[in-house]
Amino acid sequence: MLRRKLFASLAALLLALPAAAADFPTRPVTIIVPFPPGGATDVAARMMAEGMAPLLGQPVLVDNKPGAQTVIGAEAVARAQPDGHTILMASGTTLTLNPLLPDRLPYKSEDFSPIVLVTKLPFAVVVRNGLPTTIADFVKLAQSRNGSMNYGSNGPTSFNNLAAVAVLEGMKMRMQEITYRGDAQQLNDLMGGTLDVIVVGGSSGLAAHRSGRGRIIGWTGEERLAVTPEIPNFSELGPDMVVQTWFGLLAPARTPAAAINRLNAVALRALQSTELRDRLLAEGQFVAGGSPDDFATFLAQQAERWRPVVARLAGKRE
């Protein structure tokens, strides 16, 4: 079903592509990643760059501009020349959560033109070794501990904490939140036994699970991950526990429609590659696709869904 929709979108775009799009790009295209090298966003960007370059007939470069909760990289693209040669690989943090926070941003959602939603990423609920490895047994234990267990997050209004809160509330558990700057220290403390649970993105969760440093008991996605078909989603047990961040490509606002449409068509064609799809799935990412309008609708829906939750969690932070 997803693949048919992807192909249909691509076919429609190719038929409707203006002749002027043939002139784009005239030089290398740069994907700015607002995270350091090596993370899930960077991996997705480099896979897309590799797949898109031969189709565009120009090199596609990846430029990492991390810092300030993705603000530095996002601002660089928002202020770039709007000609399609500088684009952003955004995450849910960049354009779903940051605009909902009371902190002043140097950019706004309207500073970007959506190109394509690349992937959706569920979160892995990983427990330390020695704890129950099924959802039912773990929930029973956590409920019996009456709030004395703990979990790691990257801050109250981070996406992994939104996932943790959804699971805790959905399964009627209470735990203490311990805030970290990233996944790496959380994993160290999980291994050391000072953290009971971490809720992390797919690649981090899979690395812990495969190495034996922790155990994934469940995902927060819509469907089971092909690389761990035996591990259920929490949504199989109740509503409102689907929490996924996302990666997508966007250009500066006012980028010509011809360039946006060509980038979208090329990205969709790259996403058809079985090799690319398998590599993304191995990183815990589900291929999305669709048109620029589909991506714009998705962004609006995400903002609407998370606005009240972020307001509630931000209020607790103060």
Side-chain angles (χ1 to χ4, degrees), residues 54-136:
L55 302 173
L56 286 171
Q58 289 282 354
V60 179
L61 312 175
V62 174
D63 184 7
N64 297 89
K65 292 185 181 295
Q69 290 289 92
T70 78
V71 169
I72 291 173
E75 183 183 13
V77 175
R79 306 292 175 252
Q81 185 71 22
D83 58 12
H85 290 91
T86 301
I87 60 179
L88 175 69
M89 178 63 88
S91 72
T93 297
T94 314
L95 284 175
T96 294
L97 299 187
N98 282 352
L100 298 177
L101 294 171
D103 308 315
R104 186 178 180 87
L105 285 177
Y107 67 84
K108 54 185 181 296
S109 299
E110 293 76 15
D111 291 332
F112 302 92
S113 294
I115 297 170
V116 67
L117 178 62
V118 176
T119 58
K120 297 179 183 179
L121 297 80
F123 290 88
V125 177
V126 186
V127 303
R128 64 175 171 82
N129 290 326
L131 292 180
T133 57
T134 68
I135 291 176

Side-chain angles (χ1 to χ4, degrees), residues 103-183:
D103 308 315
R104 186 178 180 87
L105 285 177
Y107 67 84
K108 54 185 181 296
S109 299
E110 293 76 15
D111 291 332
F112 302 92
S113 294
I115 297 170
V116 67
L117 178 62
V118 176
T119 58
K120 297 179 183 179
L121 297 80
F123 290 88
V125 177
V126 186
V127 303
R128 64 175 171 82
N129 290 326
L131 292 180
T133 57
T134 68
I135 291 176
D137 289 342
F138 180 80
V139 168
K140 184 177 180 180
L141 174 66
Q143 289 173 339
S144 72
R145 296 285 178 87
N146 198 29
S148 65
M149 296 178 72
N150 59 29
Y151 73 96
S153 89
N154 294 330
T157 55
S158 62
F159 239 119
N160 73 325
N161 194 51
L162 296 186
V165 168
V167 167
L168 290 171
E169 293 180 351
M171 302 305 295
K172 296 181 173 55
M173 296 183 289
R174 289 195 303 116
M175 291 187 195
Q176 301 174 36
E177 177 194 354
I178 310 296
T179 301
Y180 291 80
R181 289 185 177 272
D183 294 351

Side-chain angles (χ1 to χ4, degrees), residues 143-267:
Q143 289 173 339
S144 72
R145 296 285 178 87
N146 198 29
S148 65
M149 296 178 72
N150 59 29
Y151 73 96
S153 89
N154 294 330
T157 55
S158 62
F159 239 119
N160 73 325
N161 194 51
L162 296 186
V165 168
V167 167
L168 290 171
E169 293 180 351
M171 302 305 295
K172 296 181 173 55
M173 296 183 289
R174 289 195 303 116
M175 291 187 195
Q176 301 174 36
E177 177 194 354
I178 310 296
T179 301
Y180 291 80
R181 289 185 177 272
D183 294 351
Q185 188 57 50
Q186 290 187 52
L187 181 56
N188 287 339
D189 285 357
L190 187 83
M191 292 170 55
T194 58
L195 260 187
D196 296 311
V197 184
I198 60 175
V199 182
V200 292
S203 56
S204 296
L206 287 168
H209 185 80
R210 289 165 175 162
S211 67
R213 292 176 290 175
R215 177 74 179 178
I216 300 174
I217 62 168
W219 293 94
T220 65
E222 297 173 297
E223 57 184 289
R224 292 199 182 195
L225 201 63
V227 293
T228 56
E230 74 284 3
I231 300 177
N233 287 302
F234 281 88
S235 59
E236 296 172 28
L237 306 174
D240 302 323
M241 287 187 284
V242 174
V243 182
Q244 301 179 116
T245 188
W246 54 267
F247 296 149
L249 293 172
L250 303 99
R254 300 179 302 282
T255 297
I260 294 291
N261 288 337
R262 177 152 173 76
L263 287 166
N264 176 268
V266 165

Side-chain angles (χ1 to χ4, degrees), residues 1-9 223 277 286-290:
M1 184 70 177
L2 177 61
R3 180 166 290 193
R4 287 200 300 271
K5 183 178 179 182
L6 194 67
F7 287 177
S9 298
E223 57 184 289
R277 296 168 73 89
F286 290 95
V287 169

